[in-house]
Amino acid sequence: MTPAEVASALQPWLAERFGVDAVVVDDVERRTEGFSWQTYIASVRWREPDGTARRHDVAIRRQPEDGLLAPYDIEAQFRLHQALVLTDVPIPPLIGLELDVSVLGMPFYAMDKAVGVVPVQWQGRDPAVFPDDETRRRIGLDFVDTLTVIHGVDWRTARLDEYLPGPAGGDAGTAEIDRWEGFLNEATAVEVPLLRAALGWCRRHRAVSDRLVLCHGDYRIGNFMLADGRINVVFDWELAHIGDPVEDVAWAGLRLFRGRSPLVSQLLPLPDVLTRYRERTGLDIDQDVLRFWTVLGMVRAAAPHVRGAAAFERGRSGDLRLAAMGHQTLHVMKHLADELGWTEPATVGTAISS
Amino acid sequence: MQNSLQRLFDGMAEALRDVVMPEVADDYARAQIAACIELLANVSTRVEWRVDQLREVTERADAAVGAAVALTPDMANAPGMEAVGGSDAVVARDRALARVSAALRWCDDHPSGDDGAEPLVGFARWHLHHELALLRTGMFRG
């Protein structure tokens, strides 16, 4: 949809949500950072009965027809967001959910637009975000602290497990291996043996902590916003689930999000992340557990790339960036091979080295 | 490679025509886009994936599966192991890769699977580096 079409479609819907007769929606902008949910930001203006001019900036999350992480469950996303608004997790207030596809072509929900800057992995040296090492370190500590706030959410009382994936009585490692193997089974157009081999490694080396928490599932640079040097919003909860907290720690530290930096999400050295996390939660992260979740994280990182290219192949998306992911995933798989010691070109019959 | 050549050609032409062209005002630039669309359409009828590369992948995958079955004969009856060959080189490659993955899944489920997995993982490693050697771009390099 064009920005003008989005504006026109949203006007009656937002007027109803704000309890006024009519609003004007303008400055609609589609954000292009993400490859999954379609995010629009817009300004909503109206006049109160007394003539006072009002403006409210909103963000719209529209469910894509297909994409990297399909199928999507927008109701679960909305319910989770509703639950998190009641906690200390930094997340914007909600405006409403719309399941009727006649409005925007697909279901969507609206929230307040947050104001700040989003550091991204390909601009990890942006002086406007990271003017000096001390600032980077301070943001890094806040990054870990915010993760511990997420992991501290009382998911049992909030009954998040009623609609989020989780181990359901089993162990968190097996649950995630099964989930991502199932995802690959559905996603893959042409088999990728390396990912199957890595899943086999994960099954043989499964190691988990003794805790179950609300995992963000995609906690890293690129998925939070900064305002006044502090994290004011955590984005992109579509991979949230009940799981092992170490999964989020390992994910944040993947090479994919480090670029050429040695720092976890280009923010903080891994030992400092582990120390801070232990100070805040009491969990001393075991190296075997961290490695297991790192390897599975790399499979998780590669799988949506495979899914994106397949979605393009099947004509479910015309976004050429998804087709390009079919090549980009090779870099993620190289990280995976490096982690497992599968670095050198091997001939048939070469022994497994890890 | 998850995409067929025809889908890539069609997708590139569609993106140029439907997404890029409406945003370009300069006449010369629009003419370049139109020429790209025309070239993509006409090149697409004259090219195919390199058969030598497809055959190399297929032959190495088949050899790995053969070696794995020799080590663990029960694997031969695993689900997904039956489909082989095909006169179309792309189809044959896809089937060969599917057999490797089916064999790896069998290894995960069976105590004797570690033995059979060795040649399969060896192939997976070779396959990755074979694909990486063909890569010319990458935002995640490093």
Side-chain angles (χ1 to χ4, degrees):
Chain A
M1 299 179 77
T2 66
E5 290 170 336
V6 171
S8 175
L10 283 176
Q11 281 174 173
W13 190 86
L14 285 166
E16 187 177 341
R17 294 301 173 289
F18 288 121
V20 295
D21 290 338
V23 300
V24 173
V25 175
D26 53 20
D27 299 330
V28 175
E29 178 187 336
R30 180 172 176 180
R31 307 306 297 249
T32 57
E33 297 94 337
F35 292 95
S36 197
W37 290 74
Q38 295 164 9
T39 302
Y40 297 90
I41 57 173
S43 294
V44 187
R45 304 170 201 271
W46 69 91
R47 285 201 178 274
E48 298 289 356
D50 64 3
T52 307
R54 298 285 188 192
R55 171 179 167 163
H56 196 114
D57 292 340
V58 301
I60 305 291
R61 297 261 290 169
R62 179 181 180 269
Q63 182 178 312
E65 287 85 356
D66 203 344
L68 302 189
L69 296 167
Y72 299 95
D73 185 349
I74 195 169
E75 286 187 89
Q77 284 292 293
F78 189 77
R79 287 179 70 185
L80 174 62
H81 198 133
Q82 281 180 311
L84 292 176
V85 165
L86 304 176
T87 71
D88 292 331
V89 173
I91 195 163
L94 283 165
I95 296 171
L97 168 69
E98 183 55 70
L99 298 175
D100 184 349
V101 299
S102 70
V103 182
L104 277 187
M106 289 296 285
F108 67 92
Y109 64 95
M111 68 191 95
D112 287 1
K113 177 191 167 191
V115 178
V117 59
V118 179
V120 289
Q121 58 264 40
W122 49 88
Q123 292 180 330
R125 294 180 181 176
D126 184 352
V129 182
F130 305 112
D132 51 52
D133 290 345
E134 180 53 35
T135 301
R136 186 186 297 274
R137 179 174 180 77
R138 192 169 62 246
I139 295 169
L141 293 172
D142 194 32
F143 177 75
V144 179
D145 292 351
T146 303
L147 181 61
T148 66
V149 171
I150 295 168
H151 288 174
V153 169
D154 185 355
W155 59 270
R156 291 181 176 87
T157 300
R159 297 182 174 181
L160 301 185
D161 54 328
E162 289 182 358
Y163 52 89
L164 293 181
D171 77 89
T174 301
E176 282 296 282
I177 295 170
D178 289 346
R179 186 155 76 110
W180 286 96
E181 182 165 42
F183 181 91
L184 269 175
N185 290 343
E186 294 295 321
T188 307
V190 179
E191 276 294 330
V192 185
L194 191 90
L195 295 180
R196 299 291 181 184
L199 282 168
W201 183 96
C202 289
R203 290 198 187 280
R204 290 191 298 278
H205 296 81
R206 180 175 50 79
V208 295
S209 76
D210 59 358
R211 299 189 184 188
L212 283 179
V213 302
L214 168 64
C215 286
H216 179 276
D218 194 9
Y219 194 74
R220 59 173 173 83
I221 188 171
N223 276 345
F224 62 83
M225 178 179 278
L226 294 169
D228 300 324
R230 300 292 304 272
I231 293 176
N232 66 330
V233 180
V234 176
F235 298 114
D236 288 351
W237 292 82
E238 62 218 59
L239 290 172
H241 60 280
I242 307 303
D244 187 335
V246 184
E247 183 178 2
D248 274 340
V249 176
W251 179 263
L254 291 186
R255 278 177 64 187
L256 177 62
F257 310 127
R258 270 196 268 137
R260 298 188 184 280
S261 166
L263 307 177
V264 170
S265 277
Q266 305 184 39
L267 297 171
L268 207 59
L270 178 61
D272 294 1
V273 169
L274 300 181
T275 299
R276 184 74 166 194
Y277 192 86
R278 184 180 63 241
E279 289 170 354
R280 294 289 172 138
T281 65
L283 179 63
D284 195 3
I285 293 177
D286 180 273
Q287 286 300 310
D288 288 342
V289 176
L290 186 66
R291 186 163 191 240
F292 162 74
W293 285 115
T294 297
V295 172
L296 185 56
M298 289 171 170
V299 175
R300 287 181 48 202
H305 287 68
V306 174
R307 175 75 176 77
F312 180 85
E313 179 64 23
R314 293 162 182 159
R316 306 269 307 186
S317 171
D319 188 343
L320 269 178
R321 296 177 302 170
L322 300 188
M325 284 182 175
H327 293 106
Q328 291 163 4
T329 192
L330 292 169
H331 298 292
V332 184
M333 287 195 281
K334 183 175 185 304
H335 296 172
L336 178 58
D338 289 348
E339 178 67 30
L340 291 171
W342 297 348
T343 51
E344 296 301 318
T347 56
V348 171
T350 298
I352 303 170
S353 58
S354 309
Chain B
M1 171 51 72
Q2 296 285 311
N3 295 116
S4 65
L5 209 47
Q6 190 61 50
R7 178 70 185 112
L8 291 174
F9 277 121
D10 290 347
M12 287 188 280
E14 286 166 14
L16 288 170
R17 184 182 63 236
D18 301 337
V19 180
V20 180
M21 185 76 93
E23 301 296 325
V24 176
D26 180 78
D27 284 343
Y28 182 73
R30 290 176 65 84
Q32 295 301 305
I33 294 170
C36 283
I37 295 169
E38 185 174 347
L39 286 166
L40 285 168
N42 290 315
V43 170
S44 72
T45 59
R46 292 168 167 82
V47 299
E48 59 183 12
W49 292 124
R50 279 179 53 176
V51 173
D52 59 329
Q53 292 178 359
L54 293 169
R55 285 193 178 142
E56 184 177 17
V57 173
T58 303
E59 287 167 5
R60 284 180 178 264
D62 287 346
V65 170
V69 169
L71 291 166
T72 50
D74 290 349
M75 181 192 291
N77 300 317
M81 294 289 284
E82 57 282 342
V84 292
S87 57
D88 183 294
V90 173
V91 172
R93 187 274 315 265
D94 292 354
R95 287 177 175 171
L97 292 176
R99 289 182 80 216
V100 174
S101 287
L104 282 164
R105 281 196 294 271
W106 184 91
C107 293
D108 291 345
D109 296 337
H110 292 80
S112 60
D114 282 356
D115 294 336
E118 289 188 12
L120 302 170
V121 174
F123 168 77
R125 293 171 60 178
W126 173 84
H127 186 228
L128 171 65
H129 288 277
H130 168 78
E131 291 284 326
L132 284 170
L134 301 174
L135 207 56
R136 295 295 178 268
T137 58
M139 64 188 287
F140 301 131
R141 271 199 165 154

